[in-house]
Amino acid sequence: RHVGSTLDNSNTYVNPAYTLLDAMASYDFSALGHKATLQLNAKNVTNKSYYSSSFTASYANVIVADEGQPRTVVATLKVEF
């Protein structure tokens, strides 16, 4: 996933563009006679450091940048009854 460069709330600081690698795999199977799906989702697989947004705190004349999410992996099991 690619996110282009963005500006902060006062349009004075440019957050650089970044590209992250996300992945998903799923497996369909039968469990006790019911249809089931096991799914694994991974975001930011390479654990790249990036800044997702920023804002200028005008009262202190400081730019505050938000660090993006680290690698995240979620597993899901869905069973249909």
Side-chain angles (χ1 to χ4, degrees):
R1 129 180 82 119
H2 177 78
V3 177
S5 60
T6 57
L7 293 168
D8 69 348
N9 61 326
S10 63
N11 294 329
T12 57
Y13 177 75
V14 177
N15 298 303
Y18 56 90
T19 302
L20 303 175
L21 176 64
D22 298 338
M24 184 277 289
S26 67
Y27 178 69
D28 295 327
F29 61 99
S30 180
L32 302 173
H34 298 284
K35 182 180 174 186
T37 303
L38 178 63
Q39 184 170 320
L40 186 68
N41 293 68
K43 292 185 176 182
N44 194 7
V45 173
T46 60
N47 206 25
K48 181 177 183 174
S49 293
Y50 65 98
Y51 293 100
S52 58
S53 64
S54 66
F55 67 94
T56 301
S58 58
Y59 56 86
N61 201 21
V62 174
I63 296 173
V64 179
D66 294 325
E67 189 171 359
Q69 296 252 336
R71 179 186 305 123
T72 306
V73 179
V74 176
T76 306
L77 175 62
K78 179 176 110 176
V79 179
E80 295 181 18
F81 292 94

